[in-house]
């Protein structure tokens, strides 16, 4: 009796669902509700976040159509800047408007009914309508529910169905993931993903599999055939993983590297999460790079990812590197004592993305440039071996706010986790996972 009301997925937020999440499930068209699923009743138009989300889906070849029970004016205003297929007063869970949208999706996306899903926040309208039409249903919690008695009563009736869903989910078989690279034995990714899985209630396995460049193509295919839902690629595989990805996210396309692979029915979806991981690590600490003057040291692979992501976020960048070279869209100037001190004088965020200070590598011979940073400046180091580099220790002693490299490592893993599971772990889960990773480093040092 419950089956017609049970969603296939119950996830925290529509906007956390990345293109790869849908593509992996063979979904090529989404029939979406509007109110409380994408925006609140108060948002007449798509928010910037919704717009970005819709454009990312569009770029990945996924169609979105709106089927709403709200009135024509509301739907027309919301859809005005988008021009998507949209129906108002749809009388969900009735089938008429849904069937019309399914036909439109099949034509526009050249897809089958199996490749269409419903996305909504209500079980008795959205999920039930999907099930009556033979579609998969993704349920999300309402963004901001109305407080009227009717809505509250509906939510009360939904509770036993959600309990049933959670029970079934707890019994489901674990999903399989891995990290590939060489060397790989010391990778923190298995601990990171298992911890996130435990804290988010997702049953998963995650292995580290030593894989050289010449083995990558074969390994990717073998993991896909074995039913793996995703894998990370680290050194020295990031460029080859890009070449073997049949579809790529924007960051991967721009940097030509891939660290997160999602097997699809036909091929692989590749993306890179390093830059986003760095930006989210700053955000976790309440640091918004928008409009900030950032001095970025380094122009290697990690610096390029960070540079790209910071430019997208609207930061103003000055890149300094040992040798003059291009760092993505920015030409890196030569790093000298004088250029570094001059750049630091009006810097809001200093990002250390060279290998200086890393265990076994050369370190800064002189840290006096830190004294020229303004008192409000934040100092972030990408190096996480050791966790507290000499740069961070010096900056801390000067009373500056610091962010160590483990935060970026954590948040690039969280971004992969979100691609695969459709869940962006909250601040508390991120902090707990950081503590677990930090402890593993401390245990290793004992
Ligand atoms: P990479 O591509 O090899 O680049 C190394 C960078 O360091 C280049 O800019 C290089 O300058 C510079 N460099 C090396 N030795 C130097 C020295 N003696 N003096 C001044 N500059 C020097 O490496 P990467 O992948 O970008 O990694 C850089 C660092 O970031 C590593 O420590 C890595 O562990 C860390 N990282 C951390 C994360 C994280 O999640 N926290 C992720 C990725 C990387 P030239 O261009 O002149 O050679």
């Amino acid at each position: 009796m419950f089956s017609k009301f049970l969603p296939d997925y119950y996830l925290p937020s529509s906007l956390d669902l990345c293109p790869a999440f849908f593509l992996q499930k063979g979904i090529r068209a989404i029939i979406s509700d509007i109110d409380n699923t994408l925006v609140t009743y108060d948002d007449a138009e798509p928010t910037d976040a919704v717009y970005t989300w819709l454009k990312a889906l569009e770029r990945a070849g996924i169609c979105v159509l709106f089927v709403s029970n709200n009135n024509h004016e509301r739907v027309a205003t919301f859809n005005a800047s988008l021009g998507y297929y949209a129906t108002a007063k749809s009388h969900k869970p009735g089938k008429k408007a849904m069937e019309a949208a399914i036909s439109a999706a099949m034509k526009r996306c050249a897809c089958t009914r199996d490749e269409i899903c419903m996305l909504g926040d209500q079980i008795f309208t959205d999920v039930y309508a999907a099930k009556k039409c033979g579609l998969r249903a993704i349920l999300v919690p309402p963004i901001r529910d109305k407080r009227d008695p009717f809505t509250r009563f509906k939510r009360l009736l939904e509770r036993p169905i959600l309990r049933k869903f959670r029970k079934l989910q707890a019994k489901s078989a674990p999903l399989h993931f891995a990290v590939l690279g060489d060397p790989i034995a010391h990778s923190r990714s298995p601990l990171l993903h298992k911890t996130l899985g435990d804290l988010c209630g997702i049953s998963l396995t995650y292995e580290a599999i030593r894989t050289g460049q010449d083995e990558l193509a074969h390994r990717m295919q073998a993991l896909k055939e074995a039913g793996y839902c995703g894998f990370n690629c680290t050194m020295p595989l990031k460029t080859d993983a890009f070449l073997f990805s049949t579809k790529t996210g924007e960051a991967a396309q721009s940097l030509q590297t891939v660290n997160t692979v999602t097997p699809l029915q036909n091929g692989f979806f590749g993306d890179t999460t390093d830059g986003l991981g760095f930006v989210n690590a700053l955000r976790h600490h309440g640091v918004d790079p928008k409009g900030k003057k950032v001095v970025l040291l380094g122009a290697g692979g990690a610096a390029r990812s960070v540079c790209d992501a910071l430019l997208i976020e609207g930061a103003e960048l000055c890149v300094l590197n040992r040798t003059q070279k291009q760092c993505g869209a920015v030409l890196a100037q030569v790093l000298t004592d004088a250029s570094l001190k001059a750049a630091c004088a009006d810097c809001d965020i200093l990002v250390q993305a060279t290998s200086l200070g890393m265990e076994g590598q050369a370190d800064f011979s002189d840290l006096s440039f830190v004294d020229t940073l303004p008192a409000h400046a934040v100092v972030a180091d990408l190096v996480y071996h050791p966790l507290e580099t000499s740069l961070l220790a010096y900056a801390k002693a000067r009373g500056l706010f610091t962010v160590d490299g483990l935060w970026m490592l954590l948040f690039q893993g969280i971004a992969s986790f979100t691609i695969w599971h459709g869940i962006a772990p909250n601040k508390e889960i991120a902090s707990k996972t950081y503590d677990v990773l930090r402890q593993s480093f401390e245990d290793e040092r004992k």
Side-chain angles (χ1 to χ4, degrees):
M1 173 309 220
F2 265 163
S3 64
K4 283 228 171 335
F5 300 111
L6 277 176
D8 296 272
Y9 305 94
Y10 178 40
L11 294 162
S13 162
S14 304
L15 304 193
D16 292 338
L17 305 174
C18 304
F21 174 88
F22 293 106
L23 291 174
Q24 189 192 36
K25 287 153 188 68
I27 293 169
R28 298 191 36 224
I30 303 163
I31 297 178
S32 180
D33 178 41
I34 296 175
D35 299 304
N36 263 338
T37 297
L38 299 181
V39 289
T40 68
Y41 282 99
D42 296 337
D43 296 309
E45 292 169 8
T47 57
D48 287 350
V50 169
Y51 201 74
T52 305
W53 181 74
L54 290 169
K55 292 297 156 195
L57 293 173
E58 230 176 71
R59 275 191 296 273
I62 300 169
C63 299
V64 177
L65 305 88
F66 301 124
V67 173
S68 167
N69 282 357
N70 210 330
N71 63 48
H72 292 282
E73 192 191 341
R74 193 301 182 249
V75 174
T77 306
F78 182 82
N79 195 33
S81 61
L82 298 167
Y84 288 3
Y85 176 98
T87 49
K89 286 205 172 290
S90 302
H91 302 291
K92 288 176 287 181
K95 284 172 66 172
K96 199 170 160 201
M98 286 292 290
E99 285 297 343
I102 291 167
S103 299
M106 292 187 340
K107 260 194 210 147
R108 285 172 184 223
C109 238
C111 63
T112 62
R113 188 174 285 258
D114 288 351
E115 293 173 312
I116 305 171
C117 78
M118 174 78 207
L119 174 64
D121 71 295
Q122 297 208 39
I123 289 179
F124 299 113
T125 51
D126 302 317
V127 174
Y128 188 33
K131 294 294 148 179
K132 278 165 78 176
C133 296
L135 303 184
R136 281 175 281 174
I138 302 176
L139 180 72
V140 289
I143 299 173
R144 193 184 330 127
D145 234 350
K146 287 180 179 165
R147 302 297 301 155
D148 63 289
F150 179 60
T151 305
R152 285 158 78 162
F153 181 62
K154 266 195 312 190
R155 295 298 179 198
L156 202 70
L157 293 180
E158 287 183 344
R159 281 192 203 163
I161 298 165
L162 291 175
R163 272 201 298 275
K164 172 87 178 167
F165 174 83
R166 288 200 183 95
K167 261 191 195 162
L168 289 173
Q169 197 185 32
K171 281 189 204 155
S172 60
L175 305 170
H176 302 299
F177 299 90
V179 58
L180 316 181
D182 188 14
I184 201 66
H186 294 291
S187 169
R188 305 287 148 169
S189 293
L191 180 62
L192 192 160
H193 283 270
K194 280 182 200 155
T195 306
L196 289 174
D198 287 347
L199 294 170
C200 295
I202 294 172
S203 167
L204 61 87
T205 70
Y206 191 110
E207 303 150 69
I209 305 175
R210 189 170 157 200
T211 306
Q213 266 172 297
D214 53 344
E215 298 169 289
L216 182 63
H218 174 74
R219 181 84 71 209
M220 283 171 69
Q221 197 54 35
L223 291 177
K224 178 173 162 173
E225 281 163 18
Y228 277 64
C229 299
F231 41 88
N232 289 118
C233 289
T234 184
M235 302 315 286
L237 308 176
K238 291 183 180 187
T239 305
D240 288 333
F242 171 77
L243 297 174
F244 295 142
S245 295
T246 43
K247 273 184 185 259
T248 47
E250 257 178 290
Q253 194 58 43
S254 154
L255 294 157
Q256 313 262 297
T257 67
V258 156
N259 76 346
T260 305
V261 181
T262 311
L264 308 177
Q265 244 163 3
N266 297 311
F268 297 91
F269 188 97
D271 214 340
T272 181
T273 62
D274 283 339
L276 179 64
F278 179 75
V279 167
N280 285 342
L282 288 183
R283 288 236 169 84
H284 178 88
H285 292 92
V287 180
D288 182 356
K290 190 173 179 183
K292 299 277 167 28
K293 288 194 172 159
V294 178
V295 175
L296 174 64
L297 308 185
R304 278 201 302 278
S305 306
V306 168
C307 181
D308 230 37
L310 286 172
L311 287 175
I312 289 169
E313 294 301 319
E316 215 180 287
L317 269 139
C318 164
V319 184
L320 300 174
N321 191 51
R322 177 171 58 177
T323 47
Q324 189 181 42
K325 60 160 104 146
Q326 205 63 32
C327 180
V330 180
L331 178 67
Q333 304 302 316
V334 178
L335 175 65
T336 61
D337 283 350
S339 66
L340 185 50
K341 280 185 177 159
C344 282
D346 63 346
C347 158
D348 300 308
I349 307 171
L350 175 72
V351 185
Q352 200 303 107
T354 73
S355 49
L356 283 168
M358 191 176 159
E359 221 155 68
Q361 302 287 325
D363 202 349
F364 289 95
S365 52
D366 176 11
L367 286 164
S368 59
F369 62 91
V370 176
D371 298 327
T372 63
L373 287 165
H376 70 269
V378 173
V379 180
D381 202 328
L382 265 58
V383 171
Y384 55 86
H385 239 299
L387 266 187
E388 186 168 87
T389 57
S390 60
L391 169 66
L392 292 189
Y394 193 97
K396 251 187 205 170
R398 226 210 91 186
L400 301 180
F401 187 77
T402 61
V403 180
D404 68 53
L406 189 54
W407 286 107
M408 172 172 165
L409 184 76
L410 168 67
F411 276 97
Q412 60 77 34
I414 284 182
S416 300
F417 187 89
T418 303
I419 288 175
W420 293 327
H421 303 288
I423 295 175
N426 62 28
K427 206 170 157 106
E428 190 189 342
I429 291 179
S431 296
K432 279 188 181 165
T433 309
Y434 175 89
D435 291 342
V436 170
L437 293 176
R438 191 182 173 107
Q439 189 60 49
S440 82
F441 276 100
E442 280 165 13
D443 292 347
E444 202 176 75
R445 285 191 162 267
K446 281 178 192 164

